[in-house]
Amino acid sequence: MKNKFYVTTPIYYINDVPHIGHTCTTVVADILARLHKQIGEDVFFLTGTDEHGQKVADAAKEAGFTDVQKYCDDIAPRFERAWRNLNIGFDHFVRTTDPRHEQVVKDFLQKIYDKGDIYKDKYEGLYCIGCEKFLTESDLVDGHCPLHPSEKTVMQSEENWFFRLSKYIPQIIKLIENYKTNYIEPSGKRAEVLAKLRAGVKDISISRANVSWGIPLPWDKSQTTYVWFDALINYYSACQFLEAKKDFWPANLHILGKEILWFHTVIWQAMLLAAGLEVPLKTFTHSFYMIDGQKMSKSLGNVISPSQLIDAFGVDGARYLVATSFPRDNDSDVGIGKYKERYNADLANNLGNLVSRLAKMGQGLKIDTSKIEYDDQVKELIDDLRFNEAVLLIFEKWVNSVNLKLNEQEPWKKDFEDKTRQELLRWAGGELKKAAYHLIPFIPETSQTIIDLFTGVIKLPKEGLFKRVS
Ligand code: MSP
């Protein structure tokens, strides 16, 4: 039996267009999915769009749509296209307005309701539409939501349905403390969540009386499901409504950004426990990209789109740059200037140049055909989402060593027939093939091109693999 590997990204709000932040989570999820496919596992990679709630309804209205569903149908494909253009090999694109998802949400809710974990109460407090989140006074910075300082928080006062989140907190604390794989990664985030849990947690409102764009509660059609309750269930619903994916729950890995840590490590776990389902094996919460030292924002005009990256660096160049600048533990400062430097140094000058020099020198030479196994050390680094370190190790093992030997032995000064020269070039071709094999998850197309060049006999590349960017 094959090992299964189920990896997800957050489902993105469709009121926005894809930017480098969404791109980073999606590219790294793709790298993990590709690695696990490459080593022979049965992989399910899910991404998609979050389409209900006040924010999306407002965006539809602003865009002149009276039918919100039409607006969603118009915008959701933009995300799908953006990911296809980046060669993201997702297995399913989930949309929360898919009736099949909606049915799973209703069943899920009904189950928890029947169990007595949902009750009616009055909600009074602040709500941030940007986050689609209920806020407390202590969340505010200068009277505003810290993530949406230019937007107003709204005072809400309505009869809502509440979920007994507090009931599950002791169980969640135990899970985090004792769980065999420690489901919250990286460890800093685990400590953050534990501290908040120990400080005390209140029940949460899970329905809205005045938001019509949502899934009606099965037992009270006058209220719609709180958009986060609906959205989180996507990870499970896809395994229900897709016949072939039924065995994939629980997910092996949810990847997400730091602003939605609580939803994914506490609320989601409590929902699953209440429904009698297994919790995900691991959540990985990364930090944020900053653009040239500043927060990315429309008003600053510094938003980088995935298509901008592809235009500048090609598909594989874009993927490589996003992965190696992944904000794993801390916010990471990126920008087109920095990307240019890294692209030229690693891909154009180093790898690209070496491959074409070697292919030219060794053209026609027979090359080693033995099977390559994926290196454990590299695999571990990728599984730990240490993409930059993984790439550095690949370069160190199979690229820098080749450069060094070539410079030492200067085969270009020797005769083509010279046996030591031929042996050296054959070895070097084999090493580059190993580099390419390990780079498949990062730069799949270019890796395949390199592998083809060094399979059978050494062939000449048609044109430079990575053109220098000025
Ligand atoms: N719809 C919710 C998620 C529901 S999941 C059940 C949502 N959507 S979002 O469109 O706002 O996407 C948020 C995610 O995009 C972040 O968690 C992160 O994965 C990614 N990023 C958005 N901005 C980012 C940066 N500046 N840097 C890195 N990633 C960021 O929240």
Side-chain angles (χ1 to χ4, degrees), residues 125-171:
L126 297 164
Y127 191 82
C128 170
I129 297 176
C131 291
E132 291 283 15
K133 184 171 148 184
F134 300 94
L135 299 176
T136 59
E137 287 291 339
S138 63
D139 291 327
L140 303 183
V141 175
D142 301 329
H144 290 278
C145 162
L147 288 180
H148 301 92
S150 58
E151 291 176 32
K152 270 197 187 140
T153 47
V154 189
M155 193 62 188
Q156 301 262 328
S157 175
E158 53 182 42
E159 282 262 291
N160 280 172
W161 291 93
F162 278 68
F163 168 54
R164 291 189 201 284
L165 176 64
S166 58
K167 175 178 161 188
Y168 293 95
I169 299 306
Q171 229 174 314

Side-chain angles (χ1 to χ4, degrees), residues 105-347:
V105 172
K106 285 181 191 160
D107 296 345
F108 197 111
L109 279 163
Q110 187 69 52
K111 200 164 173 189
I112 304 181
Y113 178 74
D114 291 344
K115 198 178 168 188
D117 278 347
I118 290 178
Y119 61 94
K120 203 164 197 179
D121 206 347
K122 187 160 181 180
Y123 178 81
E124 206 162 45
L126 297 164
Y127 191 82
C128 170
I129 297 176
C131 291
E132 291 283 15
K133 184 171 148 184
F134 300 94
L135 299 176
T136 59
E137 287 291 339
S138 63
D139 291 327
L140 303 183
V141 175
D142 301 329
H144 290 278
C145 162
L147 288 180
H148 301 92
S150 58
E151 291 176 32
K152 270 197 187 140
T153 47
V154 189
M155 193 62 188
Q156 301 262 328
S157 175
E158 53 182 42
E159 282 262 291
N160 280 172
W161 291 93
F162 278 68
F163 168 54
R164 291 189 201 284
L165 176 64
S166 58
K167 175 178 161 188
Y168 293 95
I169 299 306
Q171 229 174 314
I172 291 176
I173 293 179
K174 264 206 195 119
L175 263 179
I176 301 174
E177 286 175 338
N178 305 333
Y179 204 65
K180 54 183 184 302
T181 54
N182 261 321
Y183 76 77
I184 304 177
E185 295 279 351
S187 55
K189 296 287 186 291
R190 200 179 306 150
E192 191 181 320
V193 172
L194 270 176
K196 213 171 149 191
L197 284 170
R198 290 191 181 123
V201 177
K202 290 201 179 106
D203 291 346
I204 53 162
S205 159
I206 55 121
S207 72
R208 303 295 306 280
N210 297 313
V211 178
S212 59
W213 185 239
I215 304 175
L217 295 179
W219 63 89
D220 177 0
K221 305 271 186 299
S222 72
Q223 300 235 347
T224 56
T225 311
Y226 171 41
V227 60
W228 267 100
F229 217 84
D230 158 5
L232 286 162
I233 295 175
N234 91 85
Y235 301 131
Y236 171 72
S237 74
C239 296
Q240 289 300 295
F241 66 72
L242 299 171
E243 200 49 47
K245 306 296 178 197
K246 284 231 184 301
D247 297 331
F248 277 91
W249 189 259
N252 295 73
L253 176 63
H254 292 319
I255 309 178
L256 49 127
K258 62 181 180 182
E259 86 288 20
I260 55 179
L261 169 71
W262 187 252
F263 286 107
H264 282 80
T265 55
V266 176
I267 297 180
W268 182 217
Q269 274 66 21
M271 288 166 64
L272 289 162
L273 291 172
L277 295 165
E278 283 181 84
V279 297
L281 297 167
K282 185 162 141 186
T283 62
F284 191 99
T285 304
H286 63 75
S287 294
F288 266 25
Y289 272 149
M290 304 287 284
I291 312 292
D292 298 315
Q294 283 179 307
K295 215 179 137 184
M296 183 166 52
S297 86
K298 273 184 211 151
S299 51
L300 286 175
N302 61 356
V303 179
I304 300 178
S305 71
S307 56
Q308 218 177 320
L309 290 176
I310 296 175
D311 289 346
F313 307 108
V315 174
D316 280 345
R319 293 174 58 102
Y320 179 89
L321 294 168
V322 166
T324 50
S325 62
F326 178 60
R328 186 186 188 277
D329 301 282
N330 299 301
D331 288 351
S332 126
D333 197 35
V334 297
I336 298 293
K338 277 202 181 119
Y339 278 156
K340 266 186 198 164
E341 274 174 36
R342 178 109 200 221
Y343 172 92
N344 284 333
D346 290 11
L347 299 180

